[in-house]
Amino acid sequence: LLTSKNAGTASVSGWEFSYQQQFVFLPGLLKGLGAMVNYTQIETEGDFGLGTGVSRKSNEVPSFIPKVANAMLTWNHRGFRARVLYNYHSNYITTFSATNAGANIYRFSRSTVDFGISQQINKTLSFTFDIGNIFKSPQEYYTNNTNLYQSYVQNFITITTGISGRF
């Protein structure tokens, strides 16, 4: 993927592995099972339009997440769908200071698990129910040393329901 923005010059490189499978060969109700996994690892380097002529690397670019993984298990049967989704991201920097390394703020790696179901009621109407962050995974931040906590944000479980119609 190549793109340009009015933001200096930088390069991003990396790779992604992705696999998806529907298990239609399984017997009975199990043939509705499906699975998906992906893993992405990237790195970057460049001046990012800062006007300083100084190049930054992945661990110096705020909100640049170098490693992400997802896994999902699904089940579909007669208009009913269920899914469990696992998401992971590695540590990354959120605030960067070129002059004071002690002011750098990083976010710890984090994993979350979500669950959702939906039911197709008829051709035009469906119902959904989702639970996000089942295990209440917090967001934790540190400054330049993993032993120096900067902040802790307790995330709660979110529940979302909905009715969708096509007319």
Side-chain angles (χ1 to χ4, degrees):
L1 173 68
L2 295 174
T3 186
S4 64
K5 291 184 178 183
N6 190 15
T9 58
S11 64
V12 178
S13 62
W15 57 273
E16 177 179 14
F17 168 81
S18 184
Y19 181 79
Q20 186 171 344
Q21 175 77 49
Q22 292 298 125
F23 301 106
V24 294
F25 55 86
L26 293 174
L29 294 175
L30 294 178
K31 75 169 110 184
L33 283 176
M36 180 279 303
V37 295
N38 76 358
Y39 177 80
T40 303
Q41 184 170 325
I42 55 177
E43 56 187 37
T44 189
E45 184 172 2
D47 72 9
F48 297 93
L50 302 172
T52 62
V54 177
S55 182
R56 287 188 183 179
K57 295 186 178 192
S58 299
N59 63 342
E60 299 171 329
V61 179
S63 299
F64 184 85
I65 305 172
K67 296 176 187 173
V68 175
N70 296 286
M72 182 168 58
L73 184 62
T74 61
W75 184 67
N76 299 320
H77 181 70
R78 296 184 180 175
F80 178 80
R81 297 173 186 225
R83 70 172 176 85
V84 175
L85 173 66
Y86 168 81
N87 173 265
Y88 163 83
H89 70 72
S90 63
N91 291 15
Y92 66 92
I93 191 165
T94 61
T95 304
F96 176 74
S97 171
T99 58
N100 180 5
N104 292 345
I105 299 173
Y106 300 84
R107 184 170 167 182
F108 279 104
S109 63
R110 181 175 183 228
S111 296
T112 59
V113 176
D114 301 337
F115 172 77
I117 59 173
S118 67
Q119 176 67 52
Q120 189 72 40
I121 297 167
N122 58 38
K123 288 182 180 182
T124 62
L125 194 61
S126 64
F127 170 77
T128 60
F129 179 81
D130 294 294
I131 302 173
N133 197 18
I134 291 173
F135 301 112
K136 295 197 273 187
S137 177
Q139 296 177 59
E140 300 172 289
Y141 298 84
Y142 62 95
T143 56
N144 215 37
N145 180 326
T146 56
N147 294 322
L148 300 174
Y149 268 73
Q150 193 270 341
S151 65
Y152 178 94
V153 178
Q154 178 60 61
N155 294 105
F156 297 98
I157 296 171
T158 58
I159 297 174
T160 308
T161 62
I163 295 175
S164 175
R166 290 180 282 170
F167 304 99

